[in-house]
Amino acid sequence: NREILNKISIILEYLIKVGMVPAVDKRVKFNFYLSEKQKQTIEISEDPVSISEFIFNINEIIDTSNMKKLPATAVTKWLAHIGYLKTTTTEKGMIFKTLTEKASELELICVEKTNQYGNKYSVNLYPPKAQKFIVDNLDKIIDYHYGSSTISIE
């Protein structure tokens, strides 16, 4: 399945390059996908970053006029599914992801921050090792998030 998608991606990239772009229904957006070549362009930050910041940088690579962005929750739900994060609910009903013991394998860290109103909150940060792990597993994350569907109509 991935091999076929990679070949299609190469063909489409060529067609776009030579100006043979077929008319596309503007309501149709492809689910997030990156070719192997695009994955190689993802910048890995030397400093630990939040998942939102890391996914924002990944989404900068795609053309959002015809492709959906990858939501950060797709990554965190997959990481929870494989045991690096767990879902926690506060007394006030706030739902967030916390690190498990397994998270140390990826060197994930949790830091406490204070917002402009003086309220403290926790943020999970993803160092280079975790960022590389996410990039290396993007296909699995996408499959977990979307299943086998590659197109949706909005």
Side-chain angles (χ1 to χ4, degrees):
N1 221 3
R2 286 284 165 211
E3 188 176 320
I4 292 169
L5 286 175
N6 274 333
K7 287 179 181 179
I8 291 170
S9 173
I10 291 167
I11 292 167
L12 289 174
E13 285 175 8
Y14 173 76
L15 290 174
I16 291 167
K17 192 177 194 178
V18 297
M20 295 180 63
V21 181
V24 177
D25 184 340
K26 297 288 184 195
R27 297 173 300 154
V28 176
K29 282 197 174 190
F30 291 92
N31 287 339
F32 180 87
Y33 173 78
L34 288 181
S35 68
E36 292 303 317
K37 186 177 179 181
Q38 288 172 310
K39 288 178 195 171
Q40 293 172 3
T41 67
I42 296 172
E43 289 187 38
I44 303 298
S45 171
E46 290 298 316
D47 298 318
V49 294
S50 69
I51 194 65
S52 299
E53 184 177 346
F54 186 60
I55 298 304
F56 177 85
N57 292 333
I58 291 175
N59 283 326
E60 289 290 299
I61 296 169
I62 64 165
D63 178 1
T64 57
S65 68
N66 63 9
M67 185 180 295
K68 290 181 177 183
K69 292 180 181 182
L70 179 66
T73 56
V75 178
T76 57
K77 285 179 181 178
W78 181 76
L79 288 170
H81 174 72
I82 62 170
Y84 291 100
L85 301 176
K86 65 181 177 182
T87 302
T88 305
T89 307
T90 66
E91 317 80 49
K92 296 180 180 180
M94 298 287 293
I95 299 170
F96 59 99
K97 300 285 191 254
T98 56
L99 305 180
T100 63
E101 286 183 33
K102 189 176 178 182
S104 64
E105 294 173 13
L106 298 179
E107 301 170 1
L108 295 173
I109 54 175
C110 182
V111 296
E112 193 171 278
K113 294 190 173 193
T114 306
N115 68 16
Q116 61 189 11
Y117 305 108
N119 299 320
K120 294 182 189 252
Y121 63 98
S122 297
V123 176
N124 296 326
L125 297 179
Y126 296 73
K129 184 175 183 176
Q131 295 170 46
K132 289 175 189 165
F133 179 78
I134 291 167
V135 172
D136 291 345
N137 288 282
L138 266 177
D139 291 341
K140 291 177 184 176
I141 294 166
I142 292 165
D143 287 344
Y144 183 77
H145 182 66
Y146 294 118
S148 59
S149 174
T150 56
I151 300 176
S152 65
I153 297 176
E154 295 184 339

Coordinates of all heavy atoms in Angstrom, one line a residue, residues 21 44 50 54 57 68 99 107 118 121-122 131 135 151:
V21 N -1.5 19.7 -14.3 CA -2.3 19.5 -13.1 C -3.8 19.4 -13.5 O -4.4 20.2 -14.1 CB -2.1 20.8 -12.2 CG1 -2.9 20.6 -10.9 CG2 -0.6 21.0 -11.9
I44 N 14.7 18.8 12.5 CA 14.7 18.3 13.8 C 15.4 19.4 14.7 O 16.6 19.7 14.5 CB 15.5 17.0 13.9 CG1 14.9 15.9 13.0 CG2 15.6 16.5 15.4 CD1 13.5 15.5 13.3
S50 N 7.5 21.7 21.9 CA 6.2 21.1 22.2 C 5.7 20.4 20.9 O 6.2 20.6 19.8 CB 5.2 22.3 22.5 OG 5.0 23.0 21.3
F54 N 6.3 21.3 16.8 CA 6.9 20.3 15.9 C 6.0 20.0 14.7 O 6.4 20.0 13.6 CB 7.3 19.1 16.7 CG 8.0 18.1 15.8 CD1 9.2 18.4 15.2 CD2 7.5 16.8 15.6 CE1 9.9 17.5 14.4 CE2 8.2 15.9 14.8 CZ 9.4 16.2 14.2
N57 N 5.7 22.8 12.2 CA 6.8 22.8 11.2 C 6.6 21.7 10.1 O 6.9 22.0 9.0 CB 8.1 22.6 11.9 CG 8.5 23.8 12.7 OD1 8.1 25.0 12.4 ND2 9.2 23.6 13.8
K68 N -5.2 18.0 4.0 CA -5.5 18.3 5.4 C -4.2 18.4 6.1 O -3.2 17.7 5.8 CB -6.4 17.3 6.0 CG -7.8 17.2 5.5 CD -8.5 16.1 6.3 CE -9.9 16.0 5.9 NZ -10.6 15.0 6.7
L99 N 3.2 11.8 30.7 CA 4.2 10.9 30.3 C 4.1 9.6 31.1 O 3.8 9.6 32.3 CB 5.6 11.5 30.6 CG 5.9 12.8 29.9 CD1 7.3 13.2 30.2 CD2 5.7 12.7 28.4
E107 N 13.2 10.1 25.7 CA 13.8 11.2 26.4 C 12.7 12.4 26.5 O 13.1 13.5 26.6 CB 15.1 11.7 25.8 CG 16.2 10.6 25.8 CD 17.4 11.0 25.0 OE1 17.4 12.1 24.4 OE2 18.3 10.1 24.9
G118 N -0.9 33.7 35.8 CA -0.3 33.1 37.0 C -0.7 31.7 37.3 O -0.3 31.1 38.3
Y121 N 0.8 25.2 34.5 CA 0.3 24.1 33.6 C 1.6 23.3 33.2 O 2.7 23.8 33.3 CB -0.5 24.6 32.4 CG 0.3 25.5 31.5 CD1 0.9 25.0 30.3 CD2 0.5 26.9 31.8 CE1 1.6 25.8 29.5 CE2 1.2 27.7 30.9 CZ 1.7 27.1 29.8 OH 2.4 27.9 28.9
S122 N 1.4 22.1 32.8 CA 2.5 21.2 32.3 C 2.5 21.1 30.8 O 1.4 21.1 30.2 CB 2.3 19.8 32.9 OG 2.4 19.9 34.3
Q131 N 11.6 13.6 18.3 CA 11.2 14.1 17.0 C 11.5 13.2 15.9 O 10.7 12.9 15.0 CB 11.9 15.5 16.8 CG 11.5 16.6 17.8 CD 12.4 17.8 17.7 OE1 12.7 18.2 16.6 NE2 12.9 18.3 18.8
V135 N 9.0 11.2 13.1 CA 9.2 11.3 11.7 C 9.4 9.9 11.1 O 8.8 9.5 10.1 CB 10.5 12.1 11.3 CG1 10.8 12.0 9.8 CG2 10.3 13.6 11.7
I151 N -8.9 10.1 1.0 CA -9.5 11.3 0.5 C -10.8 11.6 1.4 O -11.5 10.7 1.8 CB -10.0 11.2 -0.9 CG1 -8.8 10.9 -1.8 CG2 -10.7 12.4 -1.4 CD1 -9.1 10.7 -3.3

